[in-house]
């Protein structure tokens, strides 16, 4: 049951990774959301997710 709750919170945090207008802002919001959900490991995952979203949304 705990794994299901953790997974749900991690998915919600991934949604927050898209908040911001620049890559740095998206990485920061992802890291904060990840840290709230899963501590230091969540911060790393959230920051990476925010960076990935920022790179994908970047205008070429």
């Amino acid at each position: 049951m705990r794994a299901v709750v953790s997974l749900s919170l991690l998915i919600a945090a991934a949604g927050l990774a898209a908040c911001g207008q620049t890559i740095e802002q998206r990485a920061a919001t992802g890291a904060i959301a990840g840290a709230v959900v899963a501590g230091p490991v969540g911060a790393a995952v959230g920051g990476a997710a925010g960076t990935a979203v920022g790179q994908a949304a970047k205008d070429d």
Side-chain angles (χ1 to χ4, degrees):
M1 182 67 175
R2 183 179 171 118
V4 172
V5 172
S6 296
L7 182 60
S8 298
L9 290 174
L10 190 57
I11 290 170
L16 290 175
C19 295
Q21 295 180 4
T22 66
I23 295 170
E24 292 83 6
Q25 290 172 346
R26 290 179 175 145
T29 57
I32 290 170
V36 169
V37 173
V41 174
V45 171
T51 301
V53 169
Q55 286 291 337
K58 185 172 68 171
D59 293 331
D60 290 329

